[in-house]
Amino acid sequence: GLGDVYKRQGYVPVTTLRQDGIEIRTAQLTLTGPFAELLRTVDALERHLPACRMRSAEWQTVVQPRTRRTQLTLTLHIQQLTLITESK
């Protein structure tokens, strides 16, 4: 699967807004791996998470100090809009 090709470096969920019965949740997901596989992952996320919107994609290359190999990192910011239902 895709998990064999790239590595998840981090996942940070945050509620960015809660007001007037609406909550916006933003997640930051950081992946590393080959460009083609990361691009396939972005495509899959956009197609399979219809309730979410990709807000930004930041591509960055980093040279690993120990191995001196270049590594591609992709940081995604994904938002989900949720209606808040108050239970009584």
Side-chain angles (χ1 to χ4, degrees):
L2 285 177
D4 300 331
V5 178
Y6 66 81
K7 182 177 178 184
R8 186 179 84 179
Q9 298 289 29
Y11 173 75
V12 181
V14 179
T15 297
T16 49
L17 176 70
R18 187 181 177 108
Q19 154 182 343
D20 300 328
I22 296 174
E23 183 174 77
I24 297 177
R25 297 180 183 146
T26 303
Q28 176 181 304
L29 178 62
T30 303
L31 307 169
T32 58
F35 177 75
E37 294 305 321
L38 293 173
L39 199 57
R40 283 188 195 100
T41 301
V42 170
D43 177 58
L45 288 171
E46 288 180 330
R47 284 187 289 117
H48 296 293
L49 297 176
C52 298
R53 296 289 176 252
M54 195 89 51
R55 290 297 170 213
S56 69
E58 179 184 336
W59 298 88
Q60 184 177 15
T61 56
V62 177
V63 176
Q64 297 299 327
R66 199 170 46 116
T67 62
R68 296 185 184 192
R69 295 180 72 190
T70 301
Q71 182 176 3
L72 182 62
T73 300
L74 171 61
T75 301
L76 301 170
H77 288 92
I78 304 166
Q79 286 188 332
Q80 179 182 23
L81 180 68
T82 306
L83 295 177
I84 301 168
T85 55
E86 301 295 331
S87 56
K88 294 185 179 188

mmCIF file of all heavy atoms in Angstrom, residues 29-67:
data_model
loop_
_atom_site.group_PDB
_atom_site.id
_atom_site.type_symbol
_atom_site.label_atom_id
_atom_site.label_comp_id
_atom_site.label_asym_id
_atom_site.label_seq_id
_atom_site.Cartn_x
_atom_site.Cartn_y
_atom_site.Cartn_z
ATOM 1 N N LEU A 29 -0.910 17.599 8.163
ATOM 2 C CA LEU A 29 -0.375 16.271 7.919
ATOM 3 C C LEU A 29 0.941 16.417 7.165
ATOM 4 O O LEU A 29 0.981 17.061 6.118
ATOM 5 C CB LEU A 29 -1.379 15.457 7.089
ATOM 6 C CG LEU A 29 -1.003 14.048 6.686
ATOM 7 C CD1 LEU A 29 -0.804 13.165 7.919
ATOM 8 C CD2 LEU A 29 -2.070 13.461 5.776
ATOM 9 N N THR A 30 2.014 15.843 7.700
ATOM 10 C CA THR A 30 3.327 15.940 7.073
ATOM 11 C C THR A 30 3.772 14.546 6.642
ATOM 12 O O THR A 30 3.779 13.619 7.447
ATOM 13 C CB THR A 30 4.353 16.557 8.046
ATOM 14 O OG1 THR A 30 3.869 17.832 8.469
ATOM 15 C CG2 THR A 30 5.702 16.738 7.368
ATOM 16 N N LEU A 31 4.111 14.429 5.353
ATOM 17 C CA LEU A 31 4.528 13.156 4.754
ATOM 18 C C LEU A 31 5.882 13.323 4.079
ATOM 19 O O LEU A 31 6.211 14.413 3.613
ATOM 20 C CB LEU A 31 3.510 12.712 3.703
ATOM 21 C CG LEU A 31 2.047 12.632 4.124
ATOM 22 C CD1 LEU A 31 1.160 12.447 2.914
ATOM 23 C CD2 LEU A 31 1.850 11.514 5.111
ATOM 24 N N THR A 32 6.633 12.252 3.981
ATOM 25 C CA THR A 32 7.864 12.262 3.201
ATOM 26 C C THR A 32 7.850 11.066 2.254
ATOM 27 O O THR A 32 7.256 10.032 2.562
ATOM 28 C CB THR A 32 9.116 12.168 4.100
ATOM 29 O OG1 THR A 32 9.040 10.980 4.865
ATOM 30 C CG2 THR A 32 9.258 13.357 5.008
ATOM 31 N N GLY A 33 8.475 11.227 1.096
ATOM 32 C CA GLY A 33 8.536 10.133 0.136
ATOM 33 C C GLY A 33 8.796 10.655 -1.263
ATOM 34 O O GLY A 33 9.012 11.843 -1.464
ATOM 35 N N PRO A 34 8.740 9.769 -2.249
ATOM 36 C CA PRO A 34 8.943 10.161 -3.647
ATOM 37 C C PRO A 34 7.799 11.058 -4.152
ATOM 38 O O PRO A 34 6.646 10.896 -3.736
ATOM 39 C CB PRO A 34 8.954 8.838 -4.406
ATOM 40 C CG PRO A 34 9.116 7.771 -3.378
ATOM 41 C CD PRO A 34 8.586 8.323 -2.101
ATOM 42 N N PHE A 35 8.124 11.991 -5.037
ATOM 43 C CA PHE A 35 7.151 12.961 -5.542
ATOM 44 C C PHE A 35 5.893 12.301 -6.101
ATOM 45 O O PHE A 35 4.777 12.678 -5.754
ATOM 46 C CB PHE A 35 7.805 13.846 -6.616
ATOM 47 C CG PHE A 35 6.845 14.816 -7.234
ATOM 48 C CD1 PHE A 35 6.436 15.944 -6.545
ATOM 49 C CD2 PHE A 35 6.349 14.601 -8.520
ATOM 50 C CE1 PHE A 35 5.543 16.838 -7.114
ATOM 51 C CE2 PHE A 35 5.456 15.484 -9.085
ATOM 52 C CZ PHE A 35 5.054 16.617 -8.388
ATOM 53 N N ALA A 36 6.058 11.302 -6.962
ATOM 54 C CA ALA A 36 4.897 10.670 -7.616
ATOM 55 C C ALA A 36 3.945 10.058 -6.588
ATOM 56 O O ALA A 36 2.720 10.188 -6.704
ATOM 57 C CB ALA A 36 5.352 9.621 -8.621
ATOM 58 N N GLU A 37 4.492 9.411 -5.574
ATOM 59 C CA GLU A 37 3.639 8.786 -4.559
ATOM 60 C C GLU A 37 2.939 9.823 -3.692
ATOM 61 O O GLU A 37 1.780 9.654 -3.315
ATOM 62 C CB GLU A 37 4.456 7.824 -3.697
ATOM 63 C CG GLU A 37 4.966 6.622 -4.454
ATOM 64 C CD GLU A 37 3.862 5.847 -5.160
ATOM 65 O OE1 GLU A 37 2.773 5.691 -4.603
ATOM 66 O OE2 GLU A 37 4.107 5.396 -6.295
ATOM 67 N N LEU A 38 3.632 10.900 -3.371
ATOM 68 C CA LEU A 38 2.998 11.964 -2.589
ATOM 69 C C LEU A 38 1.879 12.620 -3.398
ATOM 70 O O LEU A 38 0.813 12.935 -2.862
ATOM 71 C CB LEU A 38 4.034 12.999 -2.148
ATOM 72 C CG LEU A 38 5.063 12.501 -1.137
ATOM 73 C CD1 LEU A 38 6.137 13.557 -0.900
ATOM 74 C CD2 LEU A 38 4.406 12.094 0.167
ATOM 75 N N LEU A 39 2.106 12.793 -4.692
ATOM 76 C CA LEU A 39 1.072 13.375 -5.556
ATOM 77 C C LEU A 39 -0.143 12.447 -5.645
ATOM 78 O O LEU A 39 -1.293 12.906 -5.593
ATOM 79 C CB LEU A 39 1.660 13.636 -6.944
ATOM 80 C CG LEU A 39 0.916 14.617 -7.835
ATOM 81 C CD1 LEU A 39 0.766 15.969 -7.153
ATOM 82 C CD2 LEU A 39 1.647 14.773 -9.152
ATOM 83 N N ARG A 40 0.080 11.149 -5.736
ATOM 84 C CA ARG A 40 -1.031 10.179 -5.727
ATOM 85 C C ARG A 40 -1.808 10.256 -4.410
ATOM 86 O O ARG A 40 -3.031 10.122 -4.388
ATOM 87 C CB ARG A 40 -0.508 8.757 -5.930
ATOM 88 C CG ARG A 40 -0.144 8.452 -7.355
ATOM 89 C CD ARG A 40 0.189 6.969 -7.529
ATOM 90 N NE ARG A 40 0.854 6.767 -8.794
ATOM 91 C CZ ARG A 40 2.164 6.630 -8.950
ATOM 92 N NH1 ARG A 40 2.965 6.632 -7.905
ATOM 93 N NH2 ARG A 40 2.687 6.480 -10.144
ATOM 94 N N THR A 41 -1.103 10.468 -3.316
ATOM 95 C CA THR A 41 -1.744 10.582 -2.005
ATOM 96 C C THR A 41 -2.640 11.813 -1.954
ATOM 97 O O THR A 41 -3.770 11.747 -1.460
ATOM 98 C CB THR A 41 -0.688 10.647 -0.885
ATOM 99 O OG1 THR A 41 0.109 9.459 -0.956
ATOM 100 C CG2 THR A 41 -1.337 10.751 0.475
ATOM 101 N N VAL A 42 -2.162 12.944 -2.463
ATOM 102 C CA VAL A 42 -2.972 14.164 -2.507
ATOM 103 C C VAL A 42 -4.229 13.918 -3.328
ATOM 104 O O VAL A 42 -5.337 14.274 -2.913
ATOM 105 C CB VAL A 42 -2.166 15.354 -3.088
ATOM 106 C CG1 VAL A 42 -3.067 16.547 -3.371
ATOM 107 C CG2 VAL A 42 -1.051 15.748 -2.129
ATOM 108 N N ASP A 43 -4.079 13.275 -4.468
ATOM 109 C CA ASP A 43 -5.232 12.963 -5.324
ATOM 110 C C ASP A 43 -6.227 12.068 -4.583
ATOM 111 O O ASP A 43 -7.435 12.315 -4.605
ATOM 112 C CB ASP A 43 -4.747 12.284 -6.608
ATOM 113 C CG ASP A 43 -5.907 11.881 -7.504
ATOM 114 O OD1 ASP A 43 -6.700 12.770 -7.898
ATOM 115 O OD2 ASP A 43 -6.033 10.673 -7.801
ATOM 116 N N ALA A 44 -5.727 11.039 -3.909
ATOM 117 C CA ALA A 44 -6.604 10.119 -3.178
ATOM 118 C C ALA A 44 -7.333 10.831 -2.042
ATOM 119 O O ALA A 44 -8.531 10.613 -1.833
ATOM 120 C CB ALA A 44 -5.791 8.946 -2.634
ATOM 121 N N LEU A 45 -6.642 11.698 -1.324
ATOM 122 C CA LEU A 45 -7.284 12.446 -0.237
ATOM 123 C C LEU A 45 -8.396 13.347 -0.770
ATOM 124 O O LEU A 45 -9.473 13.434 -0.179
ATOM 125 C CB LEU A 45 -6.249 13.288 0.520
ATOM 126 C CG LEU A 45 -5.280 12.528 1.416
ATOM 127 C CD1 LEU A 45 -4.185 13.460 1.932
ATOM 128 C CD2 LEU A 45 -6.005 11.864 2.563
ATOM 129 N N GLU A 46 -8.134 14.012 -1.880
ATOM 130 C CA GLU A 46 -9.148 14.901 -2.460
ATOM 131 C C GLU A 46 -10.372 14.129 -2.939
ATOM 132 O O GLU A 46 -11.483 14.617 -2.854
ATOM 133 C CB GLU A 46 -8.548 15.723 -3.599
ATOM 134 C CG GLU A 46 -7.609 16.794 -3.116
ATOM 135 C CD GLU A 46 -6.999 17.616 -4.236
ATOM 136 O OE1 GLU A 46 -6.817 17.080 -5.363
ATOM 137 O OE2 GLU A 46 -6.707 18.787 -3.997
ATOM 138 N N ARG A 47 -10.178 12.920 -3.440
ATOM 139 C CA ARG A 47 -11.305 12.130 -3.950
ATOM 140 C C ARG A 47 -12.061 11.385 -2.851
ATOM 141 O O ARG A 47 -13.265 11.201 -2.942
ATOM 142 C CB ARG A 47 -10.823 11.133 -5.009
ATOM 143 C CG ARG A 47 -10.536 11.807 -6.338
ATOM 144 C CD ARG A 47 -10.221 10.834 -7.454
ATOM 145 N NE ARG A 47 -8.903 10.223 -7.249
ATOM 146 C CZ ARG A 47 -8.712 8.922 -7.056
ATOM 147 N NH1 ARG A 47 -9.718 8.090 -7.050
ATOM 148 N NH2 ARG A 47 -7.498 8.437 -6.882
ATOM 149 N N HIS A 48 -11.356 10.945 -1.803
ATOM 150 C CA HIS A 48 -11.977 10.071 -0.803
ATOM 151 C C HIS A 48 -12.398 10.774 0.483
ATOM 152 O O HIS A 48 -12.980 10.141 1.358
ATOM 153 C CB HIS A 48 -11.054 8.899 -0.474
ATOM 154 C CG HIS A 48 -10.811 8.006 -1.661
ATOM 155 N ND1 HIS A 48 -11.813 7.241 -2.237
ATOM 156 C CD2 HIS A 48 -9.700 7.802 -2.399
ATOM 157 C CE1 HIS A 48 -11.308 6.587 -3.270
ATOM 158 N NE2 HIS A 48 -10.035 6.904 -3.387
ATOM 159 N N LEU A 49 -12.089 12.043 0.611
ATOM 160 C CA LEU A 49 -12.529 12.811 1.781
ATOM 161 C C LEU A 49 -13.383 13.991 1.307
ATOM 162 O O LEU A 49 -12.962 15.149 1.395
ATOM 163 C CB LEU A 49 -11.317 13.326 2.585
ATOM 164 C CG LEU A 49 -10.403 12.282 3.199
ATOM 165 C CD1 LEU A 49 -9.202 12.937 3.868
ATOM 166 C CD2 LEU A 49 -11.165 11.426 4.206
ATOM 167 N N PRO A 50 -14.594 13.719 0.807
ATOM 168 C CA PRO A 50 -15.396 14.791 0.222
ATOM 169 C C PRO A 50 -15.821 15.864 1.227
ATOM 170 O O PRO A 50 -16.086 16.995 0.840
ATOM 171 C CB PRO A 50 -16.615 14.065 -0.350
ATOM 172 C CG PRO A 50 -16.693 12.790 0.424
ATOM 173 C CD PRO A 50 -15.273 12.440 0.788
ATOM 174 N N ALA A 51 -15.858 15.537 2.512
ATOM 175 C CA ALA A 51 -16.260 16.530 3.514
ATOM 176 C C ALA A 51 -15.096 17.442 3.903
ATOM 177 O O ALA A 51 -15.275 18.376 4.666
ATOM 178 C CB ALA A 51 -16.805 15.828 4.756
ATOM 179 N N CYS A 52 -13.925 17.172 3.364
ATOM 180 C CA CYS A 52 -12.735 17.953 3.708
ATOM 181 C C CYS A 52 -12.225 18.714 2.487
ATOM 182 O O CYS A 52 -12.437 18.300 1.353
ATOM 183 C CB CYS A 52 -11.635 17.033 4.219
ATOM 184 S SG CYS A 52 -12.093 16.156 5.710
ATOM 185 N N ARG A 53 -11.547 19.814 2.758
ATOM 186 C CA ARG A 53 -10.951 20.626 1.692
ATOM 187 C C ARG A 53 -9.472 20.819 1.956
ATOM 188 O O ARG A 53 -9.071 21.135 3.066
ATOM 189 C CB ARG A 53 -11.616 22.012 1.615
ATOM 190 C CG ARG A 53 -13.074 21.976 1.234
ATOM 191 C CD ARG A 53 -13.238 21.590 -0.236
ATOM 192 N NE ARG A 53 -14.627 21.455 -0.584
ATOM 193 C CZ ARG A 53 -15.238 20.308 -0.820
ATOM 194 N NH1 ARG A 53 -14.578 19.189 -0.734
ATOM 195 N NH2 ARG A 53 -16.499 20.263 -1.146
ATOM 196 N N MET A 54 -8.684 20.624 0.910
ATOM 197 C CA MET A 54 -7.251 20.859 0.997
ATOM 198 C C MET A 54 -7.044 22.373 0.923
ATOM 199 O O MET A 54 -7.434 23.005 -0.048
ATOM 200 C CB MET A 54 -6.565 20.188 -0.190
ATOM 201 C CG MET A 54 -5.112 20.054 -0.054
ATOM 202 S SD MET A 54 -4.581 18.537 0.747
ATOM 203 C CE MET A 54 -5.435 17.265 -0.122
ATOM 204 N N ARG A 55 -6.468 22.949 1.958
ATOM 205 C CA ARG A 55 -6.261 24.398 2.004
ATOM 206 C C ARG A 55 -4.882 24.806 1.539
ATOM 207 O O ARG A 55 -4.706 25.889 1.005
ATOM 208 C CB ARG A 55 -6.520 24.936 3.410
ATOM 209 C CG ARG A 55 -7.966 24.892 3.769
ATOM 210 C CD ARG A 55 -8.758 25.785 2.832
ATOM 211 N NE ARG A 55 -10.182 25.599 3.003
ATOM 212 C CZ ARG A 55 -11.065 25.697 2.043
ATOM 213 N NH1 ARG A 55 -10.685 25.953 0.816
ATOM 214 N NH2 ARG A 55 -12.335 25.532 2.272
ATOM 215 N N SER A 56 -3.885 23.957 1.774
ATOM 216 C CA SER A 56 -2.551 24.269 1.277
ATOM 217 C C SER A 56 -1.714 22.998 1.201
ATOM 218 O O SER A 56 -1.969 22.030 1.915
ATOM 219 C CB SER A 56 -1.852 25.310 2.159
ATOM 220 O OG SER A 56 -1.543 24.775 3.422
ATOM 221 N N ALA A 57 -0.749 23.035 0.304
ATOM 222 C CA ALA A 57 0.213 21.946 0.150
ATOM 223 C C ALA A 57 1.584 22.590 0.006
ATOM 224 O O ALA A 57 1.812 23.356 -0.934
ATOM 225 C CB ALA A 57 -0.119 21.092 -1.062
ATOM 226 N N GLU A 58 2.460 22.320 0.945
ATOM 227 C CA GLU A 58 3.794 22.904 0.924
ATOM 228 C C GLU A 58 4.824 21.811 0.689
ATOM 229 O O GLU A 58 4.946 20.872 1.468
ATOM 230 C CB GLU A 58 4.081 23.597 2.262
ATOM 231 C CG GLU A 58 5.459 24.206 2.337
ATOM 232 C CD GLU A 58 5.740 24.798 3.711
ATOM 233 O OE1 GLU A 58 4.791 25.145 4.433
ATOM 234 O OE2 GLU A 58 6.929 24.894 4.061
ATOM 235 N N TRP A 59 5.549 21.940 -0.429
ATOM 236 C CA TRP A 59 6.582 20.976 -0.796
ATOM 237 C C TRP A 59 7.926 21.530 -0.349
ATOM 238 O O TRP A 59 8.210 22.710 -0.514
ATOM 239 C CB TRP A 59 6.599 20.774 -2.309
ATOM 240 C CG TRP A 59 5.325 20.224 -2.861
ATOM 241 C CD1 TRP A 59 4.237 20.943 -3.260
ATOM 242 C CD2 TRP A 59 4.998 18.858 -3.067
ATOM 243 N NE1 TRP A 59 3.258 20.094 -3.708
ATOM 244 C CE2 TRP A 59 3.692 18.806 -3.605
ATOM 245 C CE3 TRP A 59 5.690 17.661 -2.855
ATOM 246 C CZ2 TRP A 59 3.075 17.615 -3.929
ATOM 247 C CZ3 TRP A 59 5.071 16.468 -3.182
ATOM 248 C CH2 TRP A 59 3.770 16.453 -3.719
ATOM 249 N N GLN A 60 8.771 20.660 0.204
ATOM 250 C CA GLN A 60 10.074 21.107 0.679
ATOM 251 C C GLN A 60 11.080 19.969 0.554
ATOM 252 O O GLN A 60 10.754 18.816 0.834
ATOM 253 C CB GLN A 60 9.944 21.538 2.139
ATOM 254 C CG GLN A 60 11.171 22.111 2.749
ATOM 255 C CD GLN A 60 10.918 22.579 4.184
ATOM 256 O OE1 GLN A 60 9.922 22.239 4.801
ATOM 257 N NE2 GLN A 60 11.827 23.353 4.716
ATOM 258 N N THR A 61 12.290 20.299 0.129
ATOM 259 C CA THR A 61 13.354 19.303 0.130
ATOM 260 C C THR A 61 14.282 19.591 1.302
ATOM 261 O O THR A 61 14.584 20.736 1.600
ATOM 262 C CB THR A 61 14.157 19.305 -1.184
ATOM 263 O OG1 THR A 61 14.669 20.609 -1.404
ATOM 264 C CG2 THR A 61 13.304 18.870 -2.351
ATOM 265 N N VAL A 62 14.695 18.526 1.951
ATOM 266 C CA VAL A 62 15.568 18.634 3.118
ATOM 267 C C VAL A 62 16.700 17.636 2.942
ATOM 268 O O VAL A 62 16.463 16.481 2.570
ATOM 269 C CB VAL A 62 14.780 18.313 4.426
ATOM 270 C CG1 VAL A 62 15.690 18.355 5.629
ATOM 271 C CG2 VAL A 62 13.609 19.259 4.585
ATOM 272 N N VAL A 63 17.920 18.075 3.206
ATOM 273 C CA VAL A 63 19.061 17.168 3.167
ATOM 274 C C VAL A 63 19.246 16.598 4.570
ATOM 275 O O VAL A 63 19.385 17.346 5.540
ATOM 276 C CB VAL A 63 20.341 17.903 2.702
ATOM 277 C CG1 VAL A 63 21.548 16.958 2.769
ATOM 278 C CG2 VAL A 63 20.161 18.456 1.310
ATOM 279 N N GLN A 64 19.214 15.279 4.663
ATOM 280 C CA GLN A 64 19.397 14.608 5.945
ATOM 281 C C GLN A 64 20.867 14.727 6.360
ATOM 282 O O GLN A 64 21.750 14.316 5.603
ATOM 283 C CB GLN A 64 18.996 13.129 5.848
ATOM 284 C CG GLN A 64 17.540 12.909 5.530
ATOM 285 C CD GLN A 64 16.637 13.508 6.605
ATOM 286 O OE1 GLN A 64 16.964 13.550 7.776
ATOM 287 N NE2 GLN A 64 15.487 13.982 6.193
ATOM 288 N N PRO A 65 21.141 15.297 7.535
ATOM 289 C CA PRO A 65 22.537 15.526 7.933
ATOM 290 C C PRO A 65 23.366 14.240 8.044
ATOM 291 O O PRO A 65 24.522 14.216 7.654
ATOM 292 C CB PRO A 65 22.419 16.184 9.318
ATOM 293 C CG PRO A 65 20.997 16.558 9.488
ATOM 294 C CD PRO A 65 20.193 15.767 8.519
ATOM 295 N N ARG A 66 22.752 13.185 8.536
ATOM 296 C CA ARG A 66 23.491 11.935 8.767
ATOM 297 C C ARG A 66 23.822 11.226 7.464
ATOM 298 O O ARG A 66 24.937 10.756 7.262
ATOM 299 C CB ARG A 66 22.663 11.026 9.671
ATOM 300 C CG ARG A 66 23.433 9.950 10.354
ATOM 301 C CD ARG A 66 22.588 9.266 11.407
ATOM 302 N NE ARG A 66 21.249 8.958 10.898
ATOM 303 C CZ ARG A 66 20.769 7.744 10.756
ATOM 304 N NH1 ARG A 66 21.489 6.711 11.098
ATOM 305 N NH2 ARG A 66 19.561 7.546 10.298
ATOM 306 N N THR A 67 22.828 11.137 6.546
ATOM 307 C CA THR A 67 23.017 10.376 5.308
ATOM 308 C C THR A 67 23.369 11.259 4.111
ATOM 309 O O THR A 67 23.771 10.762 3.073
ATOM 310 C CB THR A 67 21.734 9.592 4.964
ATOM 311 O OG1 THR A 67 20.672 10.536 4.752
ATOM 312 C CG2 THR A 67 21.367 8.632 6.079
#
